Short mmCIF file of all heavy atoms in Angstrom, two decimals:
data_model
loop_
_atom_site.label_atom_id
_atom_site.label_comp_id
_atom_site.label_asym_id
_atom_site.label_seq_id
_atom_site.Cartn_x
_atom_site.Cartn_y
_atom_site.Cartn_z
N LEU A 1465 0.73 -10.17 21.72
CA LEU A 1465 1.98 -10.87 22.06
C LEU A 1465 1.62 -12.19 22.69
O LEU A 1465 0.48 -12.37 23.18
CB LEU A 1465 2.88 -10.06 22.99
CG LEU A 1465 2.58 -9.99 24.44
CD1 LEU A 1465 3.84 -9.63 25.20
CD2 LEU A 1465 1.52 -8.99 24.76
N ASN A 1466 2.52 -13.12 22.66
CA ASN A 1466 2.40 -14.40 23.35
C ASN A 1466 1.21 -15.20 22.89
O ASN A 1466 0.57 -15.85 23.75
CB ASN A 1466 2.33 -14.17 24.86
CG ASN A 1466 3.62 -13.59 25.39
OD1 ASN A 1466 4.57 -13.48 24.68
ND2 ASN A 1466 3.59 -13.14 26.65
N ASP A 1494 8.43 -13.42 22.22
CA ASP A 1494 9.87 -13.38 22.60
C ASP A 1494 10.56 -14.65 22.07
O ASP A 1494 10.57 -15.73 22.73
CB ASP A 1494 10.02 -13.40 24.13
CG ASP A 1494 9.53 -12.11 24.72
OD1 ASP A 1494 10.27 -11.16 24.75
OD2 ASP A 1494 8.38 -12.03 25.19
N PHE A 1538 10.65 -10.07 19.96
CA PHE A 1538 11.26 -9.01 20.90
C PHE A 1538 12.70 -9.32 21.17
O PHE A 1538 13.09 -9.75 22.24
CB PHE A 1538 10.47 -9.05 22.18
CG PHE A 1538 8.99 -8.62 22.06
CD1 PHE A 1538 7.99 -9.48 22.53
CD2 PHE A 1538 8.62 -7.40 21.47
CE1 PHE A 1538 6.67 -9.06 22.43
CE2 PHE A 1538 7.35 -7.03 21.42
CZ PHE A 1538 6.29 -7.84 21.89
N ARG A 1552 19.44 -11.02 33.86
CA ARG A 1552 19.27 -10.94 32.42
C ARG A 1552 20.54 -10.91 31.67
O ARG A 1552 20.49 -10.69 30.43
CB ARG A 1552 18.34 -9.78 32.09
CG ARG A 1552 16.97 -9.96 32.68
CD ARG A 1552 15.93 -9.01 32.15
NE ARG A 1552 15.38 -9.49 30.94
CZ ARG A 1552 14.24 -9.02 30.34
NH1 ARG A 1552 13.60 -8.03 30.91
NH2 ARG A 1552 13.76 -9.59 29.26
N GLU A 1555 20.60 -12.98 28.55
CA GLU A 1555 20.04 -12.53 27.28
C GLU A 1555 20.93 -11.53 26.51
O GLU A 1555 20.53 -11.04 25.47
CB GLU A 1555 18.69 -11.72 27.57
CG GLU A 1555 17.54 -12.60 28.00
CD GLU A 1555 16.42 -11.74 28.34
OE1 GLU A 1555 15.81 -11.09 27.48
OE2 GLU A 1555 16.08 -11.63 29.55
N LYS A 1585 16.00 -4.17 22.11
CA LYS A 1585 15.58 -3.78 23.52
C LYS A 1585 16.76 -3.86 24.46
O LYS A 1585 17.75 -4.44 24.07
CB LYS A 1585 14.43 -4.77 23.92
CG LYS A 1585 14.83 -6.15 24.23
CD LYS A 1585 13.62 -7.02 24.48
CE LYS A 1585 14.01 -8.41 24.90
NZ LYS A 1585 12.90 -9.36 24.99
N HIS A 1586 16.65 -3.34 25.68
CA HIS A 1586 15.54 -2.46 26.17
C HIS A 1586 16.14 -1.14 26.25
O HIS A 1586 17.09 -0.94 27.03
CB HIS A 1586 15.11 -2.96 27.57
CG HIS A 1586 14.76 -4.33 27.64
ND1 HIS A 1586 15.68 -5.41 27.85
CD2 HIS A 1586 13.56 -5.04 27.59
CE1 HIS A 1586 15.06 -6.57 27.87
NE2 HIS A 1586 13.79 -6.40 27.75
N TYR A 1590 19.05 -0.42 30.68
CA TYR A 1590 18.44 -1.34 31.64
C TYR A 1590 19.48 -2.26 32.36
O TYR A 1590 19.43 -2.62 33.57
CB TYR A 1590 17.39 -2.23 30.89
CG TYR A 1590 16.56 -3.21 31.59
CD1 TYR A 1590 16.31 -3.14 32.91
CD2 TYR A 1590 16.05 -4.30 30.84
CE1 TYR A 1590 15.41 -4.13 33.48
CE2 TYR A 1590 15.22 -5.23 31.40
CZ TYR A 1590 14.92 -5.16 32.75
OH TYR A 1590 14.16 -6.13 33.31
N TYR A 1599 14.87 -4.72 37.70
CA TYR A 1599 14.01 -3.56 37.51
C TYR A 1599 14.52 -2.33 38.33
O TYR A 1599 13.79 -1.36 38.38
CB TYR A 1599 12.56 -3.86 37.88
CG TYR A 1599 12.00 -5.09 37.35
CD1 TYR A 1599 11.39 -6.11 38.18
CD2 TYR A 1599 11.99 -5.35 35.94
CE1 TYR A 1599 10.83 -7.26 37.61
CE2 TYR A 1599 11.42 -6.51 35.45
CZ TYR A 1599 10.87 -7.46 36.29
OH TYR A 1599 10.34 -8.61 35.76
N MET A 1629 12.15 -1.37 21.87
CA MET A 1629 11.33 -1.40 23.08
C MET A 1629 12.02 -0.57 24.18
O MET A 1629 13.21 -0.64 24.40
CB MET A 1629 11.29 -2.86 23.61
CG MET A 1629 10.42 -3.06 24.83
SD MET A 1629 10.47 -4.76 25.55
CE MET A 1629 9.75 -5.67 24.22
N PHE A 1632 12.26 -0.69 31.46
CA PHE A 1632 11.55 -0.51 32.73
C PHE A 1632 12.13 0.54 33.64
O PHE A 1632 11.39 1.08 34.51
CB PHE A 1632 11.56 -1.77 33.56
CG PHE A 1632 10.65 -2.93 32.99
CD1 PHE A 1632 11.24 -4.16 32.71
CD2 PHE A 1632 9.30 -2.76 32.88
CE1 PHE A 1632 10.44 -5.19 32.28
CE2 PHE A 1632 8.51 -3.87 32.50
CZ PHE A 1632 9.07 -5.09 32.15
N ASP A 1664 7.82 -1.65 27.47
CA ASP A 1664 7.90 -3.01 28.02
C ASP A 1664 6.65 -3.33 28.80
O ASP A 1664 5.79 -2.41 29.02
CB ASP A 1664 9.16 -3.17 28.89
CG ASP A 1664 9.66 -4.60 28.97
OD1 ASP A 1664 8.85 -5.49 28.60
OD2 ASP A 1664 10.80 -4.88 29.40
N TYR A 1665 6.56 -4.56 29.22
CA TYR A 1665 5.27 -5.13 29.74
C TYR A 1665 4.79 -4.37 30.99
O TYR A 1665 5.38 -4.41 32.02
CB TYR A 1665 5.57 -6.60 30.13
CG TYR A 1665 4.40 -7.49 30.20
CD1 TYR A 1665 4.09 -8.34 29.13
CD2 TYR A 1665 3.52 -7.54 31.25
CE1 TYR A 1665 3.05 -9.18 29.09
CE2 TYR A 1665 2.41 -8.36 31.27
CZ TYR A 1665 2.21 -9.21 30.22
OH TYR A 1665 1.14 -10.03 30.23
N MET A 1696 2.37 -1.71 25.91
CA MET A 1696 2.20 -3.16 26.11
C MET A 1696 1.66 -3.46 27.51
O MET A 1696 2.30 -3.04 28.53
CB MET A 1696 3.60 -3.88 25.89
CG MET A 1696 3.52 -5.35 25.99
SD MET A 1696 5.13 -6.18 26.39
CE MET A 1696 6.03 -5.86 24.92
N TRP A 1802 13.50 -18.13 28.71
CA TRP A 1802 13.11 -17.44 27.45
C TRP A 1802 13.29 -18.51 26.30
O TRP A 1802 13.85 -18.23 25.29
CB TRP A 1802 14.00 -16.21 27.12
CG TRP A 1802 13.74 -15.08 27.98
CD1 TRP A 1802 14.61 -14.46 28.80
CD2 TRP A 1802 12.52 -14.25 28.03
NE1 TRP A 1802 14.01 -13.34 29.38
CE2 TRP A 1802 12.72 -13.22 28.93
CE3 TRP A 1802 11.26 -14.36 27.42
CZ2 TRP A 1802 11.77 -12.25 29.26
CZ3 TRP A 1802 10.27 -13.41 27.73
CH2 TRP A 1802 10.56 -12.39 28.66
N GLU A 1870 14.85 -13.00 33.30
CA GLU A 1870 14.20 -11.89 33.90
C GLU A 1870 13.65 -12.13 35.29
O GLU A 1870 13.16 -13.27 35.57
CB GLU A 1870 12.98 -11.42 33.01
CG GLU A 1870 12.30 -10.19 33.57
CD GLU A 1870 11.13 -9.67 32.77
OE1 GLU A 1870 10.81 -10.30 31.74
OE2 GLU A 1870 10.50 -8.72 33.18
C1 BGC B 719 10.43 -8.26 29.27
C2 BGC B 719 10.68 -8.11 27.79
C3 BGC B 719 9.74 -8.93 26.98
C4 BGC B 719 8.29 -8.58 27.37
C5 BGC B 719 7.27 -9.38 26.57
C6 BGC B 719 8.94 -8.16 29.62
O1 BGC B 719 8.73 -8.53 30.90
O2 BGC B 719 11.16 -7.30 29.94
O3 BGC B 719 11.97 -8.36 27.51
O4 BGC B 719 9.95 -8.71 25.63
O5 BGC B 719 8.15 -8.92 28.73
O6 BGC B 719 7.26 -10.68 26.89
#
Side-chain angles (χ1 to χ4, degrees):
L1465 79 157
N1466 297 351
D1494 291 280
F1538 296 125
R1552 300 194 82 166
E1555 287 175 69
K1585 69 189 186 186
H1586 306 84
Y1590 181 27
Y1599 310 125
M1629 184 186 291
F1632 286 122
D1664 205 343
Y1665 205 100
M1696 185 201 291
W1802 288 119
E1870 185 180 357

